[in-house]
Amino acid sequence: MKSFSGNLAPNMMYTAKGVQRVHAHVRIISIVKACEEAGIFSVPLLSLHAIAYFSDALAPVWNIPVVEAQILKRIRSSMSPQLQHDIDDLVGMAVLLPTNVRHVQADSTWRLDANYSLNHEFTDRIFAALRKDEGWARELMLTREVTLALSGLGVGGISGAVLVDANYSDPLLDFGNLIDLAPEDMKPTRTAQVTERFASLMEGERACTDAELTHLYVRHLYSQLQEATDGAS
């Protein structure tokens, strides 16, 4: 297991809640950065929420702490109020730049929607500092691989992929209940169990890297989406 030092800044004290928010902010901007690498230069809100969800769902595979352990299971896709608050914080700090801001109707209510890009005047220096630390560099690698894998589904498919995730699609968990991505009993989540199955199947040939397991899991999601589409037609 690789170490996660996560040094935030020298000679500074952070509360536990403050550290969690720093991790959340880094997770968000690293997703938007990875989306740029994948050719998505203005990230839709639902895609940003979905990639953040998968980054947490797959974090145990990388031995990286989960940023948001509990997510409310919704009918359409993953939408976290805390994540949205963190996105809004970054907009307020001018780290994220919103475009196409509008109100949209969702589940008989209205919410604010937008697309997001990086303000490179600030984020280039942030990423330069993060890459100097082994723990932060590894977290950037997690979100990069998750984002690049999901980008193959297309912008429209990224948010829909949440609905076929092993945790999210658990038939024993009704909509409106909480999905626990970091159980206190340390038992592997359903998503982690699927990736462990992939690892065991490949064990006779060679050991899979964390990035390879991430891409294998997203391929599995793609097949699940295809089955759901074929079944509906």
Side-chain angles (χ1 to χ4, degrees), residues 53 56-58 73 162-171 173 179-181 188-194 217:
Y53 169 83
D56 273 334
L58 290 164
K73 184 173 180 179
V162 173
L163 301 179
V164 294
D165 169 65
N167 290 325
Y168 209 91
S169 63
D170 184 351
L173 193 65
I179 299 169
D180 195 350
L181 299 178
T189 64
R190 291 168 65 91
T191 298
Q193 289 174 32
V194 173
Y217 183 73

Side-chain angles (χ1 to χ4, degrees), residues 77 89 101 111 125 153 163 195 233:
S77 187
D89 278 349
V101 180
R111 63 171 176 81
R125 286 176 287 173
L153 301 175
L163 301 179
T195 59
S233 60

Side-chain angles (χ1 to χ4, degrees), residues 27-145:
R27 179 68 56 83
I28 292 164
I29 63 172
S30 64
I31 289 170
V32 180
K33 174 68 172 176
C35 283
E36 286 186 349
E37 292 185 43
I40 306 171
F41 293 97
S42 185
V43 185
L45 179 66
L46 288 180
S47 296
L48 183 50
H49 276 262
I51 297 171
Y53 169 83
F54 280 113
S55 296
D56 273 334
L58 290 164
V61 176
W62 292 72
N63 294 317
I64 287 176
V66 171
V67 172
E68 193 164 357
Q70 294 186 322
I71 299 290
L72 185 67
K73 184 173 180 179
R74 299 172 182 267
I75 294 175
R76 297 184 183 277
S77 187
S78 170
M79 280 285 291
S80 162
Q82 181 58 60
L83 177 66
Q84 188 58 50
H85 179 75
D86 291 325
I87 292 171
D88 294 341
D89 278 349
L90 290 169
V91 171
M93 291 185 280
V95 174
L96 280 186
L97 303 175
T99 56
N100 196 24
V101 180
R102 61 207 179 275
H103 282 91
V104 296
Q105 190 169 13
D107 300 327
S108 72
T109 61
W110 290 87
R111 63 171 176 81
L112 197 64
D113 199 13
N115 291 36
Y116 298 91
S117 57
L118 297 176
N119 182 349
H120 286 277
E121 183 178 351
F122 295 136
T123 57
D124 287 353
R125 286 176 287 173
I126 294 172
F127 287 122
L130 291 171
R131 292 189 187 102
K132 295 178 182 178
D133 180 87
E134 181 184 355
W136 286 117
R138 184 161 170 75
E139 184 152 349
L140 295 180
M141 190 182 301
L142 159 67
T143 52
R144 180 179 184 273
E145 294 300 331

